[in-house]
Amino acid sequence: MHIAVITIFPEIFKAYLNESIMKKALNKEIVKIDIHNLRDFTSDKHKTVDDYPYGGGPGMVMKPEPLSNAIRHIKSDGIDTLTIMLTPQGRLFTQKVAEELSAEKRRLLLICGRYEGIDERIRETLVDDEISIGDYVLTGGELPALVIIDAVVRLLPGAVGDENSLREESFSWGILDYPHYTRPPEWQGLKVPEVLLSGNHKQIALWRRKEALKRTLKRRPDLIEKARLSEEDYKLISEIKEENDGFHKRN
Ligand code: 4GN
């Protein structure tokens, strides 16, 4: 996969991408990431990337010229490119969108805005898609771009150590993850659930599935409605509901 980024803060990307899974994926050439500094595409001596908004109001707007120069420069190699802008006005980024982007054949070009926004004419003419990582406002598109890069790269074959850890991941089923435990078997009086020490893989899988459903019902019932659930899942949900009813009656 090939990703390009336009930002006025390239160092933010270098810091994060030089650690852990991202660094390994880059070294293994699973992904290639080119970070472009928007200021390199300015033509005045102050390297100006912003200007006052027409119509007045607070803050500054990103000038069209440097952005268009940067986008055209990147695209000048002729590689088919999907240009995405990070903005609270975009479509919501979910695991499904991460999966969709990880299967993308085109190079991804992520545009990180700053200030109050970018000139609307850039969005109209050069941006293919707009993505938001959630309903909140940040000072720039850099963190959203890194969130997207991280979520997409870890889905690429070979990026994460164990291939199965991705396929079994509960979020890819649309529900929350089950609880995890490691040594010691008892810590500060708290025991690891017996079943996890039993070596009974069938029972362990069932327990985990039930705990995942339990958490999802309690914390994110909205996900249950959309999730792809099996016959067995519905049986587990009935069990959970019966256990809860019993609990309320007894207490
Ligand atoms: C994206 C960008 C939040 C998101 C951003 C998000 C920078 N904040 N929710 N801030 O994905 C106007 C132009 C604000 C750039 C943008």
Side-chain angles (χ1 to χ4, degrees), residues 1 21-22 30 93-103 148-160 163 165-167 169 172:
M1 161 152 275
I21 306 243
M22 294 302 127
I30 289 163
F93 188 67
T94 60
Q95 192 63 27
K96 186 155 171 258
V97 177
E99 282 165 22
E100 169 196 318
L101 293 179
S102 74
I148 289 168
I149 292 170
D150 191 294
V152 168
V153 168
R154 68 185 286 286
L155 293 176
L156 299 174
V160 168
E163 293 285 285
S165 78
L166 284 181
R167 223 162 305 129
E169 206 165 66
S172 63

Coordinates of all heavy atoms in Angstrom, one line a residue, residues 1 21-22 30 93-103 148-160 163 165-167 169 172:
M1 N 0.8 -1.2 0.0 CA 0.0 0.0 0.0 C 0.9 1.2 0.0 O 1.9 1.2 0.6 CB -0.9 0.0 1.2 CG -1.5 1.3 1.6 SD -3.1 1.2 2.4 CE -4.2 1.1 1.1
I21 N 4.8 -1.2 15.4 CA 4.2 -1.9 14.2 C 4.3 -1.1 12.9 O 4.6 -1.6 11.8 CB 2.6 -2.2 14.4 CG1 2.4 -2.9 15.7 CG2 2.0 -2.8 13.2 CD1 1.8 -4.2 15.7
M22 N 4.2 0.2 13.0 CA 4.3 1.1 11.9 C 5.7 1.0 11.3 O 5.9 0.9 10.1 CB 3.9 2.5 12.2 CG 2.5 2.7 12.7 SD 1.3 2.2 11.4 CE 0.3 1.1 12.3
I30 N 5.7 -3.3 3.5 CA 4.2 -3.6 3.4 C 3.5 -2.3 3.1 O 2.5 -2.3 2.4 CB 3.7 -4.2 4.8 CG1 4.3 -5.6 4.9 CG2 2.2 -4.2 4.9 CD1 4.2 -6.1 6.3
F93 N -15.3 7.6 10.3 CA -14.3 6.5 10.2 C -14.7 5.4 11.2 O -14.8 5.6 12.4 CB -12.9 7.0 10.5 CG -11.8 6.1 10.2 CD1 -11.6 5.7 8.9 CD2 -11.1 5.5 11.2 CE1 -10.5 4.8 8.6 CE2 -10.0 4.7 11.0 CZ -9.8 4.3 9.7
T94 N -14.9 4.2 10.6 CA -15.2 3.0 11.4 C -14.3 1.9 11.0 O -13.5 2.0 10.0 CB -16.6 2.5 11.2 OG1 -16.8 2.2 9.8 CG2 -17.7 3.6 11.5
Q95 N -14.3 0.7 11.6 CA -13.5 -0.4 11.2 C -13.9 -0.8 9.8 O -13.0 -1.3 9.1 CB -13.8 -1.6 12.2 CG -12.8 -2.8 12.1 CD -11.4 -2.4 12.4 OE1 -11.1 -1.5 13.2 NE2 -10.4 -3.1 11.8
K96 N -15.1 -0.6 9.4 CA -15.5 -1.0 8.1 C -14.8 -0.1 7.0 O -14.4 -0.6 6.0 CB -17.1 -0.8 7.9 CG -17.6 -1.3 6.6 CD -19.1 -1.7 6.8 CE -19.7 -1.9 5.4 NZ -20.6 -0.8 5.0
V97 N -14.7 1.2 7.4 CA -14.0 2.1 6.4 C -12.5 1.8 6.4 O -11.9 1.8 5.4 CB -14.2 3.6 6.9 CG1 -13.4 4.5 6.0 CG2 -15.7 4.0 6.8
A98 N -11.9 1.4 7.6 CA -10.5 0.9 7.6 C -10.3 -0.3 6.7 O -9.4 -0.3 5.9 CB -10.1 0.6 9.0
E99 N -11.2 -1.2 6.7 CA -11.2 -2.4 5.9 C -11.3 -2.0 4.4 O -10.5 -2.5 3.6 CB -12.3 -3.4 6.2 CG -12.0 -4.2 7.5 CD -13.2 -4.9 8.1 OE1 -14.1 -5.2 7.4 OE2 -13.1 -5.2 9.3
E100 N -12.2 -1.1 4.1 CA -12.4 -0.6 2.7 C -11.1 0.0 2.2 O -10.6 -0.3 1.1 CB -13.6 0.4 2.8 CG -13.8 1.2 1.5 CD -14.8 2.4 1.9 OE1 -15.8 2.2 2.6 OE2 -14.5 3.5 1.4
L101 N -10.5 0.9 3.1 CA -9.2 1.6 2.6 C -8.1 0.6 2.5 O -7.2 0.8 1.6 CB -8.9 2.8 3.6 CG -9.9 3.9 3.6 CD1 -9.5 5.0 4.6 CD2 -10.0 4.6 2.2
S102 N -8.0 -0.4 3.4 CA -6.9 -1.3 3.4 C -6.9 -2.2 2.1 O -5.9 -2.7 1.7 CB -6.8 -2.2 4.6 OG -7.8 -3.2 4.5
A103 N -8.1 -2.2 1.5 CA -8.2 -3.0 0.2 C -8.1 -2.1 -1.0 O -8.2 -2.6 -2.2 CB -9.6 -3.7 0.2
I148 N -6.0 7.0 11.0 CA -6.4 6.3 9.8 C -5.3 5.4 9.3 O -5.4 4.2 9.0 CB -6.9 7.2 8.7 CG1 -8.3 7.8 9.1 CG2 -7.0 6.5 7.3 CD1 -8.8 8.9 8.3
I149 N -4.1 6.0 9.2 CA -2.9 5.2 8.8 C -2.7 4.0 9.7 O -2.5 2.8 9.2 CB -1.6 6.1 8.8 CG1 -1.7 7.1 7.7 CG2 -0.4 5.2 8.6 CD1 -0.6 8.2 7.8
D150 N -2.8 4.2 11.0 CA -2.6 3.1 12.0 C -3.7 2.0 11.8 O -3.3 0.8 11.6 CB -2.7 3.6 13.4 CG -2.2 2.6 14.4 OD1 -2.9 1.6 14.6 OD2 -1.2 2.8 15.1
A151 N -4.9 2.4 11.7 CA -6.0 1.4 11.6 C -5.9 0.6 10.3 O -6.2 -0.6 10.2 CB -7.4 2.1 11.7
V152 N -5.5 1.3 9.2 CA -5.4 0.7 7.9 C -4.2 -0.2 7.7 O -4.3 -1.3 7.3 CB -5.4 1.8 6.8 CG1 -5.1 1.2 5.4 CG2 -6.8 2.5 6.7
V153 N -3.1 0.3 8.2 CA -1.8 -0.5 8.0 C -1.8 -1.8 8.8 O -1.4 -2.8 8.3 CB -0.6 0.4 8.4 CG1 0.7 -0.5 8.5 CG2 -0.4 1.5 7.4
R154 N -2.4 -1.8 10.0 CA -2.4 -3.0 10.8 C -3.3 -4.1 10.1 O -3.1 -5.3 10.5 CB -2.8 -2.8 12.2 CG -4.2 -2.4 12.5 CD -4.4 -2.0 13.9 NE -4.5 -3.2 14.8 CZ -5.5 -4.1 14.8 NH1 -6.6 -3.9 14.0 NH2 -5.5 -5.1 15.6
L155 N -4.1 -3.7 9.2 CA -5.0 -4.7 8.5 C -4.2 -5.3 7.3 O -4.7 -6.3 6.7 CB -6.3 -4.1 8.0 CG -7.3 -3.6 9.1 CD1 -8.5 -2.9 8.5 CD2 -7.7 -4.9 9.9
L156 N -3.1 -4.7 6.9 CA -2.4 -5.2 5.7 C -1.7 -6.5 6.0 O -1.2 -6.7 7.1 CB -1.4 -4.2 5.2 CG -1.9 -2.8 4.8 CD1 -0.8 -1.9 4.5 CD2 -2.9 -3.0 3.6
P157 N -1.8 -7.5 5.1 CA -1.2 -8.8 5.4 C 0.3 -8.7 5.8 O 1.1 -8.0 5.1 CB -1.3 -9.5 4.0 CG -2.4 -8.9 3.3 CD -2.4 -7.4 3.8
G158 N 0.6 -9.3 6.9 CA 2.0 -9.3 7.4 C 2.4 -8.2 8.3 O 3.5 -8.2 8.9
A159 N 1.5 -7.2 8.5 CA 1.8 -6.1 9.3 C 1.8 -6.4 10.8 O 2.6 -6.0 11.6 CB 0.9 -4.9 9.0
V160 N 0.8 -7.2 11.2 CA 0.6 -7.6 12.6 C 1.1 -9.0 12.7 O 0.8 -9.9 11.9 CB -0.8 -7.5 13.1 CG1 -1.1 -8.1 14.4 CG2 -1.2 -6.0 13.2
E163 N -1.6 -13.4 12.0 CA -2.7 -13.1 11.0 C -4.0 -13.4 11.7 O -5.0 -12.7 11.4 CB -2.5 -14.1 9.8 CG -1.3 -13.8 9.0 CD -1.5 -12.5 8.1 OE1 -2.2 -12.6 7.1 OE2 -0.9 -11.5 8.5
S165 N -5.0 -13.2 14.7 CA -5.4 -12.2 15.7 C -6.3 -11.1 15.1 O -7.1 -10.5 15.7 CB -4.2 -11.6 16.4 OG -3.6 -10.6 15.6
L166 N -6.1 -10.9 13.8 CA -6.9 -9.9 13.1 C -8.3 -10.5 12.7 O -9.3 -9.9 13.0 CB -6.2 -9.5 11.8 CG -5.1 -8.5 11.9 CD1 -4.6 -8.1 10.6 CD2 -5.6 -7.2 12.7
R167 N -8.3 -11.8 12.2 CA -9.5 -12.4 11.7 C -10.5 -12.6 12.9 O -11.7 -12.5 12.8 CB -9.2 -13.6 10.9 CG -10.1 -13.8 9.7 CD -9.5 -14.8 8.7 NE -8.1 -14.5 8.3 CZ -7.1 -15.3 8.4 NH1 -7.3 -16.6 8.8 NH2 -5.9 -15.0 8.0
E169 N -10.5 -11.0 15.7 CA -10.8 -9.7 16.4 C -12.3 -9.5 16.5 O -13.0 -9.4 15.4 CB -10.1 -8.6 15.6 CG -9.8 -7.4 16.5 CD -8.8 -6.6 15.7 OE1 -9.2 -6.0 14.7 OE2 -7.6 -6.5 16.1
S172 N -14.1 -6.8 14.3 CA -14.4 -7.1 12.9 C -15.8 -7.8 12.8 O -16.3 -8.0 11.7 CB -13.3 -7.9 12.2 OG -13.1 -9.1 12.9

